[in-house]
Amino acid sequence: MGRKMFDLCGRDERLRFSPYCWRVKYALAHKGLDCEFVPWKFTDKEAIAFSDQTKVPVFVDGDQTVVDSYEIFRYLDRVYPDKPLLGEGAAAERARFFKFYAERSLAPGVMRTILMDVFNAVHPDDRDYFRTSREKAFGRTLEEMHSPSQGLSMLDKALEPMRGRLDESPFLEGDEAGAADYLVVGAFMWARVTSAADLVSNADPVYAWFQRMLDLHGGVGRNATRIVDVDGAYAN
Amino acid sequence: MGRKMFDLCGRDERLRFSPYCWRVKYALAHKGLDCEFVPWKFTDKEAIAFSDQTKVPVFVDGDQTVVDSYEIFRYLDRVYPDKPLLGEGAAAERARFFKFYAERSLAPGVMRTILMDVFNAVHPDDRDYFRTSREKAFGRTLEEMHSPSQGLSMLDKALEPMRGRLDESPFLEGDEAGAADYLVVGAFMWARVTSAADLVSNADPVYAWFQRMLDLHGGVGRNATRIVDVDGAYAN
């Protein structure tokens, strides 16, 4: 029994854009573990009903099922202890902050920058679900939430601590990438796959970091299909 | 030969408000190390000339002199390895991010909230130096930079990842406080000592965390003299 992960896909099955799924792809690549990435749409709730919840990533390893990207990191460290992701003690406690930094500092700015691009990228079957669920959560329409100028301004401020760190070292974890980098890179892959927007200028240390992240582990990020590579991806 | 630290003081010698000095005070308390805290003013450059630079904290331990709060953390771990602050490997790499988070995400919002309070708190001999050096760095007057509404709004956004983490654990480092907490708490002590402003509401998980931090290690933070405790501290 092999490993598989249910992986959010878009209007083209090759478009894989969930920031949470990207965390796990980097974590698996870090460990050198093969995995089948099963394309999944928001409305495919039946396909993951066995996981007793409704979101991806859902990771299946033989007879084990693990949900939530951070829980999958923990599972991978437990079952495949070589090349630790989170580690133990203070290392593990400190890793946890990067989850919240990615989700609460970076993601809101990225989201407001690319929201209509994400809406365009989702599978046609998911469009109604995506609009309805997001508009309910935001209390506003997608069109009202989408504001690249505001989003990029939010992101610019939120990136300040990353810039400080990346001015002195190639990765958030120092000389080699690790869990902190993987927890954060999902937000950048989300934008890279769905949008042509540049989140940071090429003079930004965060830009150079992301280029290194794209090339890591055999180009796991670099090789991802982007919306700009898909014929007809902007047709209705 | 004992330990001493040159420690920024204000118009009353008991007012100790440097966020960088506070990091070291918490680190020393964490290790259980005694230290003499020598009051120092911005314009006392002569007193610390032996350190070959012009800023506090300057930490002297026997014949060793160490400057920069983060370097002092490293020194303490090297010379007093019990109860590690930064630790090693991934723990140490991840700790570094909290330095930048405190200085680049939190401090700008705190600063804009309390700047005129800090100006009021500095020693009369330091007022001209403080105004001139800060206005040169900002490219604006102190009065233009001081904006509690803007500062609190900046801080509110910057605190989001801390809130996420502190919703699930009492300290940034989990069940017990550690270097991550100490690197961040300096920004809060800076405000507590110099200002009557509330940085966060008492319903905020960050408020509860700061109350725990104040009580830590025998009340190292709680016992600090505040401007509001000093008679005549708002007279010119």
Side-chain angles (χ1 to χ4, degrees):
Chain A
M1 294 195 293
R3 281 178 290 268
K4 66 181 174 182
M5 187 187 87
F6 290 84
D7 188 19
L8 182 65
C9 74
R11 57 191 296 165
D12 182 295
E13 204 175 85
R14 294 168 299 168
L15 291 172
R16 307 294 175 99
F17 56 91
S18 157
Y20 305 103
C21 291
W22 273 107
R23 288 176 169 177
V24 177
K25 278 181 240 185
Y26 270 88
L28 289 164
H30 175 92
K31 296 267 190 191
L33 297 172
D34 286 332
C35 185
E36 178 193 357
F37 298 104
V38 182
W40 178 88
K41 292 175 294 178
F42 286 113
T43 45
D44 279 347
K45 301 299 185 196
E46 273 302 305
I48 58 168
F50 70 94
S51 71
D52 290 331
Q53 53 87 67
T54 59
K55 289 175 181 166
V56 292
V58 171
F59 181 64
V60 180
D61 189 10
D63 59 0
Q64 298 290 307
T65 297
V66 192
V67 299
D68 180 276
S69 61
Y70 209 89
E71 290 307 318
I72 297 169
F73 277 47
R74 287 179 166 141
Y75 170 85
L76 292 175
D77 270 354
R78 199 162 58 240
V79 176
Y80 307 97
D82 200 31
K83 299 183 189 163
L85 290 162
L86 303 171
E88 296 181 346
E93 298 291 353
R94 291 169 191 166
R96 187 78 176 160
F97 189 77
F98 292 88
K99 165 195 159 69
F100 294 109
Y101 174 69
E103 295 173 10
R104 297 193 179 207
S105 284
L106 302 183
V110 176
M111 187 269 286
R112 299 200 66 170
T113 306
I114 65 166
L115 183 57
M116 293 310 295
D117 295 316
V118 177
F119 183 59
N120 174 65
V122 300
H123 193 281
D125 296 349
D126 282 350
R127 297 195 109 202
D128 287 349
Y129 168 83
F130 185 86
R131 179 181 285 280
T132 306
S133 62
R134 271 49 182 175
E135 293 188 347
K136 188 176 169 197
F138 300 145
R140 304 169 69 175
T141 65
L142 298 183
E143 288 77 1
E144 285 167 337
M145 281 301 283
H146 182 76
S147 171
S149 67
Q150 272 196 270
L152 290 171
S153 166
M154 292 162 67
L155 184 63
D156 184 49
K157 291 181 192 75
L159 287 173
E160 269 302 303
M162 274 185 76
R163 290 191 184 109
R165 179 60 172 143
L166 295 171
D167 268 336
E168 65 178 22
S169 69
F171 296 104
L172 293 174
E173 299 238 337
D175 288 336
E176 290 186 42
D181 298 278
Y182 308 145
L183 289 168
V184 166
V185 79
F188 291 83
M189 288 303 299
W190 184 30
R192 180 175 165 86
V193 170
T194 59
S195 173
D198 287 318
L199 296 183
V200 290
S201 89
N202 61 10
D204 195 312
V206 174
Y207 181 90
W209 165 82
F210 186 50
Q211 296 303 311
R212 285 189 286 274
M213 291 300 292
L214 287 171
D215 289 331
L216 213 62
H217 305 315
V220 57
R222 180 84 66 195
N223 297 334
T225 301
R226 307 180 63 188
I227 191 98
V228 293
D229 303 324
V230 173
D231 283 341
Y234 290 97
N236 275 317
Chain B
M1 295 195 289
R3 282 177 289 268
K4 66 180 174 183
M5 187 187 87
F6 289 85
D7 187 19
L8 182 65
C9 74
R11 57 192 296 164
D12 183 294
E13 202 175 88
R14 294 169 300 169
L15 291 172
R16 306 294 174 100
F17 57 90
S18 157
Y20 304 104
C21 292
W22 272 107
R23 287 176 170 177
V24 178
K25 278 181 239 186
Y26 270 88
L28 289 164
H30 175 93
K31 295 266 189 191
L33 297 171
D34 285 333
C35 186
E36 177 192 359
F37 297 104
V38 181
W40 177 89
K41 293 175 294 180
F42 285 113
T43 46
D44 280 347
K45 301 299 185 196
E46 273 302 305
I48 58 169
F50 71 93
S51 71
D52 291 331
Q53 53 87 64
T54 60
K55 291 176 180 166
V56 293
V58 171
F59 181 65
V60 180
D61 189 10
D63 59 0
Q64 297 291 307
T65 297
V66 193
V67 298
D68 180 277
S69 62
Y70 208 90
E71 290 307 317
I72 297 169
F73 277 48
R74 287 180 166 140
Y75 170 85
L76 292 174
D77 269 353
R78 199 162 58 238
V79 176
Y80 307 97
D82 200 31
K83 298 183 188 161
L85 290 162
L86 302 171
E88 296 181 345
E93 298 291 353
R94 290 169 191 167
R96 187 80 177 160
F97 189 76
F98 292 88
K99 166 195 159 69
F100 294 110
Y101 174 69
E103 295 173 10
R104 299 195 178 205
S105 283
L106 302 182
V110 176
M111 187 270 286
R112 300 201 65 169
T113 306
I114 65 166
L115 184 58
M116 293 311 294
D117 295 316
V118 178
F119 184 60
N120 174 65
V122 299
H123 193 282
D125 295 350
D126 282 351
R127 298 195 109 203
D128 287 349
Y129 168 83
F130 185 86
R131 179 181 284 282
T132 305
S133 61
R134 271 48 182 176
E135 292 188 345
K136 188 176 169 199
F138 301 146
R140 304 169 67 174
T141 65
L142 298 183
E143 289 77 1
E144 286 167 336
M145 281 302 282
H146 182 75
S147 171
S149 67
Q150 271 195 272
L152 290 171
S153 165
M154 291 161 68
L155 183 63
D156 184 49
K157 290 180 193 76
L159 287 173
E160 268 302 303
M162 273 185 76
R163 291 193 182 108
R165 179 61 172 143
L166 296 171
D167 269 335
E168 64 177 24
S169 69
F171 296 104
L172 293 174
E173 299 236 337
D175 288 336
E176 291 185 42
D181 299 278
Y182 307 146
L183 289 168
V184 167
V185 79
F188 290 84
M189 288 304 299
W190 185 31
R192 181 176 166 86
V193 170
T194 59
S195 173
D198 287 318
L199 297 184
V200 289
S201 89
N202 62 10
D204 195 312
V206 174
Y207 181 91
W209 165 83
F210 187 49
Q211 296 303 309
R212 285 188 287 273
M213 292 300 292
L214 287 171
D215 290 331
L216 212 63
H217 305 315
V220 57
R222 179 84 66 195
N223 297 333
T225 300
R226 307 181 63 190
I227 191 98
V228 293
D229 304 325
V230 173
D231 283 342
Y234 290 97
N236 274 317

